[in-house]
Amino acid sequence: MALPAEDRRVVIYWRPGCMFCQRLRGALGRQGRGAQWINIWQDDEAAAFVRSVNGGNEVVPTVVIDDVPHTNPDPALVKTALAA
């Protein structure tokens, strides 16, 4: 993760074609721009991280809020974190 921890309060791991990722992005709207979005198909370290917190599976979206991973969270949780 290129950004220092204080600059990445909300990190969203996603991949193209994931309908759950599209649902989250749509629900967040413009507010989603406040998150750091990482495509796990373009970042091997990101994919490894997602596997490490999801029992070896590349389940997306995996959202890290204040260093706590959430697998396919309710968009309301992510919105609240982005608004803080």
Side-chain angles (χ1 to χ4, degrees):
M1 292 192 243
L3 296 175
E6 62 272 10
D7 292 338
R8 54 182 161 85
R9 179 167 153 60
V10 177
V11 179
I12 301 173
Y13 296 92
W14 71 285
R15 67 168 172 75
C18 168
M19 73 172 149
F20 298 106
C21 299
Q22 292 171 351
R23 176 183 142 258
L24 178 61
R25 188 179 296 270
L28 296 179
R30 289 180 187 242
Q31 197 174 4
R33 294 179 187 170
Q36 179 183 6
W37 292 78
I38 301 175
N39 180 344
I40 66 167
W41 283 357
Q42 294 181 340
D43 186 325
D44 292 336
E45 288 181 33
F49 171 76
V50 169
R51 287 190 303 272
S52 77
V53 298
N54 290 298
N57 298 307
E58 289 185 354
V59 181
V60 288
T62 294
V63 180
V64 178
I65 301 171
D66 292 331
D67 296 322
V68 178
H70 303 270
T71 303
N72 197 16
D74 185 318
L77 173 71
V78 182
K79 282 182 144 184
T80 299
L82 287 169

